[in-house]
């Protein structure tokens, strides 16, 4: 029998009527003869509200207690959904993350799944039941409740689909899928019918926002993930392995335009050009848990060089603190920051070996009067760091310039 995992986000189960609507949808899939495991997020803004509630009694809520508190949000939605299904005559059972066998490490608030023991779910499915699982939560070896990080129910769903060898994981949300650009910035952005995992990871800002770990998991275990709207009956986007592979070289090379705001650039000036300097600079940043993205070192002049790198804007004070400490150690002159930058990227799996994409991107930005501060490339993207105030315009110009509004 076909087995599918469905996942419904918080806005899809925000109130009683919406939960009943979801129950009807699941019932229809069951009626068509499939087994269904459903993963739910907490109702509406429940998780935010619970975090606020914790802060009313504690300035810095204890991580272990906070995770138990947050896990209750998903317990509410999964039990209500099971009740609604039973009311419609379906045999349904809800399971907490613990009962569903989601085993995690002990990093409260950001736990990683190290394994799924699917015995209980399999037993319930074998009894002919619909299974509803509380998303976003798991259990440590010591049987403490953990949560997977904000938006983590997607990862629960894909992990279950992988463990159960489900035919696919269907993620239902309040948008219709993944687009060639963020539709709030580019109204003519096109919905993509399919996209590869790697491209999806890059296009996370374009339409349905998914927990990045769910996409990584999907890629590793080859779980096809279908993202569509709970509310609109329209085709969604299938995230799967390489649409690039079967269409080979005929495929349009740029799939979409991604962007990221709130980026800051930190430049260390007058750095002596000798071995060990970069290591001395970046080691303390790594130790402080600050993730550094783009790094550029200029060619040295008179044995001096500049090193620039980008961090999230919110990490600037901490990063500066670390850099100030090593300045005298490495003998650098000064550090300067530019806190209001953003990145804009063209993304596509086939770009790598085709010359001309980078130059075309730079020309489009130049014609729009947009100055490029830094450039980085990877196998499937070319990114430019630009002024934040120009990022929306850059996304629009690139979308137009690469003709993404047209059907391929
Ligand atoms: N309820 C959790 C959150 O809001 C998990 C999720 O929605 O996936 O982050
Ligand atoms: Mg949520």
């Amino acid at each position: 029998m076909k087995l599918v995992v469905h996942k419904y986000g918080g806005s899809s189960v925000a109130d009683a009527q919406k939960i009943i609507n979801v129950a009807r949808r699941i019932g229809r899939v069951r009626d068509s003869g499939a087994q269904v495991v459903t993963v739910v997020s907490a109702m509406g803004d429940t998780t935010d509200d619970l975090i606020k509630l914790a802060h009313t009694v504690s300035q810095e809520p204890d991580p272990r207690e906070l995770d138990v508190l947050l896990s209750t949000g998903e317990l509410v939605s999964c039990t209500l959904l099971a009740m609604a299904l039973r009311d419609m005559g379906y045999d349904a059972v809800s399971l907490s993350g613990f009962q569903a066998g989601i085993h995690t490490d002990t990093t409260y608030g950001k736990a990683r799944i190290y394994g799924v023991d699917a015995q209980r779910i399999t037993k319930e499915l074998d009894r002919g039941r619909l299974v509803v699982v509380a998303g976003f939560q798991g259990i440590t070896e010591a049987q403490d409740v953990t949560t997977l990080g904000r938006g983590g129910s997607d990862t629960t769903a894909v992990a279950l689909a992988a463990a159960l060898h489900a035919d696919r994981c269907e993620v239902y949300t309040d948008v219709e899928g993944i687009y060639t650009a963020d539709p709030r910035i580019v109204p003519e952005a096109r919905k993509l019918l399919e996209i590869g995992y790697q491209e999806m990871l890059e296009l996370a800002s374009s339409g349905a926002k998914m927990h990045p770990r769910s996409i990584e998991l999907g890629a590793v275990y080859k779980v096809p993930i279908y993202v569509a709207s709970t509310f609109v009956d329209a085709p969604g986007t299938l995230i799967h392995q390489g649409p690039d592979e079967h269409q080979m070289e005929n495929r349009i090379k740029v799939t979409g335009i991604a962007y990221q705001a709130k980026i800051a650039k930190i430049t260390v000036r007058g750095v002596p050009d000798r071995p060990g300097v970069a290591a001395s600079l970046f080691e303390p940043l790594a130790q402080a848990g600050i993730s550094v993205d783009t790094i550029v070192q200029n060619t040295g002049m008179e044995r001096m060089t500049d090193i620039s790198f980008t961090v999230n804007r919110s990490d600037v004070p901490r990063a500066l603190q670390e850099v100030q400490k090593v300045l005298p150690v490495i003998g650098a002159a000064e550090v300067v920051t530019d806190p209001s930058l953003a990145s804009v990227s063209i993304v596509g799996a086939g770009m790598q070996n085709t010359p001309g994409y980078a130059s075309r991107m730079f020309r489009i930005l130049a014609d729009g009067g947009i100055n490029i501060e830094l450039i980085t490339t990877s196998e499937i993207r070319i990114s430019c760091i630009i002024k934040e105030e120009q990022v929306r315009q850059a996304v629009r110009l690139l979308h137009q310039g690469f003709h993404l509004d047209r059907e391929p």
Side-chain angles (χ1 to χ4, degrees), residues 7 9-11 41-48 74 136 150-153:
K7 183 257 168 179
S11 55
S41 290
M43 295 170 70
D45 298 329
T46 302
T47 309
D48 292 320
E74 272 71 9
F136 172 61
R150 297 308 306 271
S153 302

Side-chain angles (χ1 to χ4, degrees), residues 35-339:
Q35 288 183 311
V36 192
V37 173
T38 306
V39 174
V40 282
S41 290
M43 295 170 70
D45 298 329
T46 302
T47 309
D48 292 320
D49 296 342
L50 289 171
I51 292 172
K52 279 185 213 134
L53 183 61
H55 281 94
T56 59
V57 296
S58 164
Q59 277 190 346
E60 221 178 300
D62 178 75
R64 179 190 179 277
E65 304 308 327
L66 183 63
D67 270 13
V68 180
L69 178 69
L70 296 190
S71 74
T72 63
E74 272 71 9
L75 294 177
V76 171
S77 50
C78 80
T79 46
L80 291 176
L81 180 56
M83 288 178 207
L85 281 163
R86 296 189 79 87
D87 220 55
M88 293 173 192
Y90 296 99
D91 193 3
V93 61
S94 69
L95 298 175
S96 67
F98 179 22
Q99 292 171 307
I102 314 273
H103 295 285
T104 75
D105 63 17
T106 55
T107 331
Y108 295 113
K110 239 197 259 176
R112 297 188 73 93
I113 299 175
Y114 69 71
V116 176
D117 174 359
Q119 277 183 60
R120 175 70 189 272
I121 297 183
T122 308
K123 203 165 83 188
E124 300 295 352
L125 291 173
D126 288 347
R127 294 169 70 181
R129 288 180 148 172
L130 288 166
V131 179
V132 186
V133 178
F136 172 61
Q137 55 185 270
I139 193 87
T140 69
E141 217 158 334
Q143 304 205 331
D144 284 313
V145 172
T146 51
T147 63
L148 308 181
R150 297 308 306 271
S153 302
D154 293 332
T155 297
T156 305
V158 177
L160 286 179
L164 295 164
H165 304 289
D167 292 274
R168 67 181 190 173
C169 183
E170 303 185 0
V171 174
Y172 291 99
T173 175
D174 47 14
V175 290
E176 287 179 32
I178 316 301
Y179 290 77
T180 49
D182 186 338
R184 291 169 303 182
I185 295 182
V186 185
E188 40 317 322
R190 258 183 324 107
K191 191 168 44 179
L192 295 161
L193 292 181
E194 58 173 356
I195 185 171
Y197 297 107
Q198 297 312 318
E199 292 173 304
M200 174 61 200
L201 280 169
E202 301 290 353
L203 282 176
S205 58
S206 308
K209 302 222 174 348
M210 291 202 46
H211 203 224
R213 281 160 52 191
S214 69
I215 308 297
E216 287 165 4
L217 211 54
V220 172
Y221 290 94
K222 303 198 173 33
V223 180
I225 306 169
Y226 177 71
V227 184
S229 165
T230 309
F231 308 109
V232 184
D233 193 17
T237 303
L238 182 64
I239 307 165
H240 65 154
Q241 225 185 356
D244 40 309
E245 276 157 37
H246 53 81
Q247 296 184 6
M248 299 291 282
E249 303 198 319
N250 290 331
R251 126 171 234 277
I252 287 212
K253 302 293 201 304
V254 177
T255 307
I257 310 298
Y259 72 97
Q260 204 193 329
K262 299 199 172 104
I263 292 179
K265 179 174 77 169
I266 298 182
T267 302
V268 186
R269 290 225 179 103
V271 182
D273 198 5
R274 60 175 157 76
V277 166
S280 316
L281 182 61
F282 290 107
E283 274 162 4
L285 291 171
Q287 268 153 26
I290 297 165
S291 66
V292 171
D293 198 20
T294 306
I295 301 176
V296 178
Q297 178 178 327
N298 297 337
T299 17
M301 286 217 337
E302 289 162 21
R303 309 190 139 257
M304 288 291 186
T305 182
D306 289 350
I307 298 180
S308 292
F309 57 93
T310 61
V311 295
N312 284 334
R313 188 180 304 157
S314 56
D315 283 335
V316 168
R318 288 197 307 135
L320 280 181
Q321 220 176 4
E322 297 302 325
V323 173
Q324 293 289 5
K325 274 191 260 173
V326 291
L327 277 194
V329 183
I330 59 176
E334 57 168 353
V335 55
V336 289
T337 35
D338 186 341

Side-chain angles (χ1 to χ4, degrees), residues 381-399:
R381 92 182 137 78
I382 303 170
S383 305
C384 294
I385 307 284
I386 60 174
K387 290 257 171 295
E388 190 172 61
E389 68 212 33
Q390 292 182 307
V391 73
R392 298 171 71 89
Q393 189 201 351
V395 172
R396 272 185 229 113
L397 289 172
L398 290 168
H399 194 270

